[in-house]
Amino acid sequence: MEDRRTYELRDCFRNRELSWLQFNERVLEEAADISVPLCERLTFESIFMSNLDEFFMVRVGTLHDHMLMDAEERENKTNMTSREQINAILKRTRELMARKDRVYESIMSEISGYGVELIDFSSISDEDAQYLRKYFINEIMPLISPQVIGKRQPFPFLQNKKIYALVALETKNMNAKLGIIPCSGVFDRLIPVPSDKNRFMLAEELILHFASDIFDRYKVTSKTLVRIIRNADIDADEAIDEEATDYREAMEDIIRKRKKLCPVRMDITREIPAGVRKSFCEHLGLTDKEIFISHAPLDLSFVFDVQDKLRAHKELFYKPLTPQKSPMVDENRSMIEQISERDILLSYPYESMKPFLRLLREAGEDENVVSIKMTLYRVARYSQVIEALINAAENGKEVVVLVELKARFDEENNIEWSRRLENAGCRIIYGLDRLKVHSKLCLITRKEDNKVSCITQIGTGNYNEKTAKQYTDYSLMTSSVEIGMEALRVFNELAMGQVMEHTEHLLVAPKCLQNKVLDMIDDEISFAKLGEPAYVGAKLNSLTDRTIMKKLIEASQAGVKIELIVRGICCLVPGIPGYTENIKIISIVGRFLEHSRVYIFGTEERERMYISSADFMTRNTLKRVEVGVPIYDEMTRIRINEMFSIMLQDNVKARIQGPDGIYRKQKTDGEPLNSQEYFYAQAYENANKKLI
């Protein structure tokens, strides 16, 4: 039957938070997908939970703060209040948590077929039970600190994401009390039983089982394991006192404060009486609807230990893949020399990050290099990038590093690296007031025979050797004078606490990115209105910027063909008659995290292409310093276009968003095409070839 519904503009938008939950559901679908190797499914299950924890800590925490400030404040896409969003999130989360439990049970049931099993006291022999009792008494009991809540024993602070045993107690006089036992400690979490070294009990389950021994003067009436998720959203700019003289110390203080913010979710493993729930919630400031029952363990970090027990079964894991040599790079020649001849593009994780690391080390040793300037957002815990910068500074180069201390959950790592860089003689900048510096920008300046030249590297991902093997990203290295001079201006503005007001080549948020994107979409609208072919393509992590989305809707209405690859949050709904029928949106969730950002405007003969650190989110386009670089080299542009086209054809890991907002796998009668596997196979094939 023909759909006779009359659509409105608001039908084209979806709530940001509910869209994020859709993305995490796609992660959970990978855990449920029987075509994914069994142990990798367990990894996706763990990722689903860690994603959800961070979502509650940041996004739900933010909504709680907004709700307390103004209950009627509405978001600009679906007009929902903060309270309405929280209620919708809690309802959807409850559904997803139930699905997570079913997937976990299915995975662990299959894993038990390989001899590795998590057990409880209902499924062990008397001998194993006696061993576990002795183990508890000797190895765990001396290391835990149980507490009964009373007038002289105030309710303790429960740490974020830590597991506790909650025990309802009854005295001889029939008085009800609460007992709490921390279950996260220095003891091993996976405890093997002597009859089979591949059968384990979780330490928290062992502690909970012996709760009656711990509170031996009370009657235990009910018990459960609990885990608290706390708000982690602190606005660093508002929290730092204007009188603070040491920004780094002020950020350390914020990190300490964040650990003590209010709870936003509680997970429990067993039903407990309503009175116990109510009492516990009152202590924590939670409501009953913020409690979730989990039949899976509350913390899935142990799954990696389980996987280690199964390494001999190679069929349970992805086939090992190693980032390959780039065919654009000659390993026997200087990187600076090669980049001076032509642009070089690296595509992670298919190609190795080593050429860029070699460029940094080479610059530190090159007598003609005057300075290295770099922005750092997230780096590896043991960073070769940092070591190369330190080496350069110790060799007398001017090394200027903007370290973004507001990189959420990486603040402590960045604070430590900033100290090491500073001690080595690097000049450190800590970013701008109210703007995070999220750009991936490196500028190497050389002076040879009184001639100044630049090597500029601009990427879509962080300078992190670990994630370069797990995330898909692009890294462009160029000797373009125009790009180098604008990159220099970016660094000079940042050093003076300012932002770029005007650019000719680069896209630089917050003032020279969104407006330029809108102008380029407008150009395509103009071509479409003249009856000429018009095109916009983009690959993003997220799409939430309402201004850009409205312009894309306008372009669709004008007849512009629009193809979007959006991994995560997508607040735009395609296929809405009269509005977005010319827009196609897919999401790829697979073995590697899709992280690269590409913008394409125009058909082949007049195409303008950029790679960028910025998603089309308001926080990126207007509230951060981001950098996008034009792809001027024809060969590089052809290569990115080919990869973009392959991703659009993915029929294994891609899901198409329908006009109902639901994502569905592409159905095809042709050969299966997993774009990530295709690119890796191509990288192996090209590793010993030369493209130039």
Side-chain angles (χ1 to χ4, degrees):
M1 181 181 289
E2 183 181 351
D3 186 358
R4 299 180 180 275
R5 177 184 171 188
T6 301
Y7 290 89
E8 300 179 16
L9 181 63
R10 66 185 180 188
D11 295 315
C12 300
F13 299 117
R14 185 162 180 79
N15 176 263
R16 166 186 169 145
E17 319 308 344
L18 297 180
S19 179
W20 185 90
L21 286 172
Q22 278 188 301
F23 157 66
N24 209 31
E25 183 178 20
R26 296 194 287 278
V27 175
L28 187 58
E29 286 172 358
E30 292 299 299
D33 187 346
I34 60 173
S35 70
V36 175
L38 185 59
C39 282
E40 307 295 351
R41 291 169 58 193
L42 200 55
T43 299
F44 280 111
E45 178 95 2
S46 176
I47 292 170
F48 168 83
M49 279 307 299
S50 60
N51 282 351
L52 191 66
D53 287 347
E54 184 170 332
F55 173 71
F56 268 80
M57 289 162 63
V58 178
R59 295 304 306 169
V60 178
T62 299
L63 289 172
H64 267 280
D65 291 343
H66 289 174
M67 185 176 67
L68 293 173
M69 290 187 291
D70 183 359
E72 297 307 313
E73 181 182 355
R74 296 181 181 273
E75 53 91 34
N76 66 357
K77 298 172 187 70
T78 55
N79 206 36
M80 296 172 72
T81 65
S82 297
R83 187 181 300 277
E84 288 170 342
Q85 291 179 79
I86 289 174
N87 288 337
I89 288 167
L90 294 175
K91 178 182 177 182
R92 187 69 185 114
T93 299
R94 203 168 299 282
E95 296 167 353
L96 291 175
M97 291 283 271
R99 185 175 179 185
K100 175 264 300 179
D101 285 342
R102 293 193 296 272
V103 172
Y104 173 82
E105 183 179 351
S106 173
I107 294 171
M108 294 306 291
S109 175
E110 288 190 57
I111 284 178
S112 68
Y114 291 87
V116 176
E117 188 178 4
L118 284 186
I119 58 171
D120 57 33
F121 275 85
S122 66
S123 59
I124 61 174
S125 66
D126 290 341
E127 290 180 358
D128 283 339
Q130 291 174 11
Y131 167 82
L132 287 172
R133 170 177 283 279
K134 290 179 180 178
Y135 185 94
F136 171 75
I137 292 171
N138 296 323
E139 302 294 334
I140 293 181
M141 187 71 167
L143 300 174
I144 59 176
S145 302
Q147 180 177 342
V148 174
I149 309 304
K151 291 181 180 179
R152 297 183 183 276
Q153 300 86 24
F155 193 86
F157 177 80
L158 303 187
Q159 294 184 52
N160 187 37
K161 300 198 291 185
K162 299 296 185 182
I163 298 174
Y164 296 85
L166 171 65
V167 186
L169 304 171
E170 191 177 278
T171 67
K172 293 179 180 179
N173 298 326
M174 304 296 287
N175 292 323
K177 288 183 175 291
L178 288 179
I180 295 176
I181 314 165
C183 295
S184 302
V186 294
F187 39 80
D188 292 336
R189 188 156 178 232
L190 278 182
I191 304 168
V193 296
S195 63
D196 187 339
K197 295 297 183 183
N198 283 326
R199 299 182 79 211
F200 303 90
M201 182 172 288
L202 291 172
E204 61 264 27
E205 290 290 347
L206 187 62
I207 293 170
L208 189 69
H209 180 79
F210 288 112
S212 56
D213 287 30
I214 297 169
F215 300 108
D216 56 357
R217 298 187 183 184
Y218 299 86
K219 178 183 178 182
V220 173
T221 58
S222 66
K223 57 186 178 180
T224 185
L225 296 171
V226 303
R227 183 168 174 263
I228 307 299
I229 302 300
R230 292 184 176 274
N231 182 357
D233 183 57
I234 290 183
D235 187 322
D237 291 305
E238 290 186 4
I240 293 176
D241 192 325
E242 290 185 6
E243 302 300 319
T245 57
D246 190 314
Y247 184 75
R248 191 162 52 198
E249 287 184 4
M251 282 302 302
E252 289 177 315
D253 185 53
I254 285 175
I255 295 166
R256 287 190 290 270
K257 288 178 180 177
R258 186 169 66 195
K259 295 175 180 178
K260 298 181 179 180
L261 295 181
C262 68
V264 291
R265 190 183 93 220
M266 180 169 73
D267 298 337
I268 63 176
T269 57
R270 293 157 177 81
E271 280 285 8
I272 51 177
V276 177
R277 285 173 67 129
K278 181 180 178 182
S279 175
F280 200 60
C281 284
E282 286 175 352
H283 282 294
L284 292 167
L286 287 169
T287 62
D288 200 59
K289 65 183 179 182
E290 291 161 320
I291 299 178
F292 295 84
I293 295 179
S294 175
H295 297 296
L298 301 180
D299 177 356
L300 295 180
S301 59
F302 71 89
V303 302
F304 302 105
D305 292 324
V306 170
Q307 290 172 338
D308 287 341
K309 310 294 181 184
L310 295 165
R311 293 293 172 189
H313 298 278
K314 298 187 183 303
E315 73 277 11
L316 302 184
F317 298 88
Y318 286 128
K319 178 183 175 182
L321 294 171
T322 305
Q324 294 297 292
K325 295 187 299 182
S326 167
M328 300 185 76
V329 176
D330 185 338
E331 294 184 332
N332 298 314
R333 292 180 60 205
S334 155
M335 285 302 300
I336 292 175
E337 181 181 325
Q338 293 180 72
I339 297 166
S340 297
E341 294 173 359
R342 62 152 303 153
D343 291 357
I344 293 176
L345 179 80
L346 300 177
S347 176
Y348 308 147
Y350 316 110
E351 294 172 345
S352 173
M353 189 184 184
K354 289 179 181 177
F356 173 68
L357 296 172
R358 184 154 69 91
L359 170 65
L360 276 185
R361 288 193 289 265
E362 190 179 306
E365 302 288 342
D366 188 337
E367 63 180 14
N368 295 314
V369 167
V370 177
S371 67
I372 303 174
K373 296 180 171 70
M374 201 168 187
T375 59
L376 295 181
Y377 193 75
R378 299 189 198 277
V379 295
R381 190 166 297 277
Y382 305 103
S383 174
Q384 296 178 57
V385 172
I386 297 288
E387 297 299 337
L389 294 174
I390 288 173
N391 181 66
E394 290 175 345
N395 285 341
K397 312 299 180 187
E398 180 191 28
V399 179
V400 180
V401 187
L402 190 147
V403 181
E404 181 51 81
L405 298 188
K406 292 179 286 187
R408 197 186 302 270
F409 304 126
D410 262 0
E411 298 97 337
E412 290 176 276
N413 195 38
N414 287 2
I415 286 169
E416 180 58 33
W417 281 127
S418 72
R419 285 198 175 99
R420 285 200 58 191
L421 287 165
E422 198 168 49
N423 291 338
C426 301
R427 180 151 61 95
I428 304 299
I429 306 171
Y430 291 127
L432 307 177
D433 289 343
R434 305 199 171 278
L435 290 174
K436 282 187 181 180
V437 179
H438 187 250
S439 57
K440 325 301 180 187
L441 181 63
C442 176
L443 178 67
I444 298 167
T445 304
R446 302 176 77 243
K447 185 176 181 182
E448 187 173 10
D449 298 329
N450 292 321
K451 182 181 178 182
V452 176
S453 62
C454 295
I455 297 290
T456 310
Q457 183 275 340
I458 300 177
T460 65
N462 295 302
Y463 298 111
N464 186 318
E465 304 92 295
K466 182 179 179 181
T467 57
K469 297 176 182 178
Q470 301 167 339
Y471 296 4
T472 73
D473 273 305
Y474 290 124
S475 173
L476 179 73
M477 295 173 282
T478 179
S479 62
S480 164
V481 175
E482 294 82 6
I483 290 173
M485 288 300 101
E486 282 205 345
L488 178 61
R489 285 180 52 213
V490 172
F491 279 110
N492 288 343
E493 294 287 0
L494 290 173
M496 293 185 286
Q498 300 168 173
V499 298
M500 294 283 280
E501 299 280 350
H502 172 76
T503 62
E504 292 291 337
H505 301 274
L506 300 178
L507 304 178
V508 185
K511 295 191 175 182
C512 305
L513 192 148
Q514 186 201 64
N515 56 336
K516 289 179 177 287
V517 167
L518 296 173
D519 288 345
M520 286 185 278
I521 299 174
D522 272 331
D523 289 343
E524 295 310 301
I525 292 172
S526 298
F527 281 109
K529 287 181 176 179
L530 292 173
E532 297 184 27
Y535 181 78
V536 173
K539 181 175 183 295
L540 308 161
N541 294 334
S542 299
L543 173 60
T544 68
D545 186 316
R546 195 171 192 273
T547 302
I548 291 179
M549 289 192 293
K550 286 183 69 176
K551 185 60 69 176
L552 290 171
I553 293 170
E554 183 184 340
S556 173
Q557 291 172 318
V560 178
K561 181 181 179 181
I562 301 169
E563 294 177 319
L564 305 175
I565 304 171
V566 186
R567 183 200 79 221
I569 304 168
C570 183
C571 295
L572 183 63
V573 180
I576 302 295
Y579 292 96
T580 60
E581 63 263 53
N582 289 313
I583 300 178
K584 175 182 180 180
I585 299 176
I586 73 168
S587 170
I588 296 175
V589 177
R591 175 174 180 174
F592 305 108
L593 183 84
E594 291 292 339
H595 194 255
S596 55
R597 291 92 162 187
V598 179
Y599 317 151
I600 305 169
F601 306 95
T603 53
E604 183 178 353
E605 62 276 3
R606 54 182 176 78
E607 180 181 80
R608 287 174 287 184
M609 176 187 288
Y610 298 82
I611 63 169
S612 174
S613 60
D615 290 308
F616 286 170
M617 304 178 75
T618 306
R619 76 177 189 187
N620 296 93
T621 57
L622 297 178
K623 298 178 181 179
R624 289 184 174 184
V625 176
E626 307 273 10
V627 175
V629 61
I631 304 300
Y632 289 145
D633 178 74
E634 182 179 0
M635 188 174 174
T636 302
R637 200 163 58 244
I638 290 171
R639 183 184 177 199
I640 293 175
N641 263 321
E642 288 176 346
M643 295 183 75
F644 191 82
S645 176
I646 290 294
M647 285 185 275
L648 287 170
Q649 297 173 58
D650 190 313
N651 55 26
V652 176
K653 293 303 178 184
R655 296 161 176 85
I656 301 177
Q657 186 188 173
D660 56 2
I662 296 174
Y663 288 81
R664 298 175 178 88
K665 288 282 187 77
Q666 296 202 57
K667 293 182 179 180
T668 178
D669 296 326
E671 288 291 319
L673 175 59
N674 180 324
S675 59
Q676 294 182 350
E677 289 183 355
Y678 178 92
F679 296 140
Y680 237 123
Q682 193 177 55
Y684 271 89
E685 184 180 336
N686 292 335
N688 296 313
K689 294 181 180 180
K690 285 190 176 182
L691 295 184
I692 56 173

